[in-house]
Amino acid sequence: MSLKAFMGKYKKRDVDAFIDEITARHQDEIASLQQAINSLKEENAALKEENENHKKNESVISQVMLDATKKAQEIEEDYRRRADESDAACQRLHDEWVMGMQSATANLQKLREEAKSILENIDGQFSSLCSWADGRLDSLKNASLPSAKEEESIESQILKGADTDLGEICKEMGLSDEESQTNTDAQN
């Protein structure tokens, strides 16, 4: 409603109606704004509660992440320790194997040298035995032929001498002289 000026004056009824209209509009606006404020307060309270829940969840997630990180570090340290122990054990086995191979090589070389020495010793003794046998045969060729009885006696002397020499050679070589003793017994 509009107010009309009537000779510079207003009508009371129009003014009251206008004031009532403005008052009603303002009260409606105030009620609408109060309702919006209440709605915003409720929404703000809900958002605060949601924010608190998010903070709690964030705290829980942070704690879980810290625990998981600590556990991962512990697992990593454990695996590193195990790997170091495994590497050390492998290194020890490798070192032992290398030392064993070096020892085996040295022992094999020593055995080869000993075998070579023994073979040279046997070769020398065999040469001596051959020389002795050749000497005996030469002396038998140069000797006069004995009678059958003397021949038997000479033959048994040669066999006894050869058996004794053979027994001594066997003893020097570390062979048992049981065979030579058996041969002597069989001939006697």
Side-chain angles (χ1 to χ4, degrees), residues 10-163:
Y10 294 99
K11 289 186 185 177
K12 183 178 178 191
R13 189 176 37 142
D14 289 339
V15 170
D16 286 339
F18 181 73
I19 289 175
D20 288 341
E21 184 181 322
I22 290 176
T23 303
R25 249 190 288 155
H26 284 295
Q27 284 179 349
D28 286 345
E29 281 182 34
I30 289 172
S32 174
L33 290 174
Q34 189 62 42
Q35 196 175 21
I37 288 171
N38 288 339
S39 175
L40 289 173
K41 281 183 179 179
E42 288 175 8
E43 186 178 341
N44 189 29
L47 290 173
K48 279 184 180 179
E49 185 177 334
E50 187 178 339
N51 189 30
E52 288 299 317
N53 287 337
H54 286 310
K55 283 182 181 179
K56 287 178 185 176
N57 288 341
E58 180 183 1
S59 175
V60 168
I61 291 170
S62 294
Q63 187 61 44
V64 167
M65 290 298 289
L66 283 173
D67 291 345
T69 302
K70 286 179 184 177
K71 188 65 176 175
Q73 287 173 343
E74 289 172 4
I75 291 170
E76 183 180 1
E77 287 300 317
D78 184 49
Y79 278 108
R80 283 188 181 164
R81 181 186 52 78
R82 287 182 184 183
D84 290 344
E85 289 173 359
S86 178
D87 288 347
C90 287
Q91 186 62 44
R92 279 193 306 272
L93 287 174
H94 176 265
D95 293 345
E96 289 173 7
W97 185 82
V98 168
M99 287 176 55
M101 289 304 292
Q102 288 172 344
S103 176
T105 301
N107 287 338
L108 181 60
Q109 185 62 30
K110 184 179 176 183
L111 287 173
R112 283 180 180 162
E113 290 171 4
E114 288 176 1
K116 184 178 177 181
S117 175
I118 289 171
L119 287 173
E120 287 172 356
N121 189 16
I122 290 172
D123 192 38
Q125 290 175 356
F126 185 71
S127 293
S128 296
L129 180 61
C130 287
S131 295
W132 173 81
D134 288 344
R136 290 287 191 151
L137 287 174
D138 287 342
S139 67
L140 284 175
K141 285 180 187 177
N142 294 335
S144 61
L145 290 176
S147 63
K149 188 173 185 178
E150 287 177 348
E151 195 174 299
E152 242 180 67
S153 171
I154 290 172
E155 191 177 293
S156 71
Q157 287 177 1
I158 290 172
L159 285 174
K160 283 182 184 178
D163 187 47

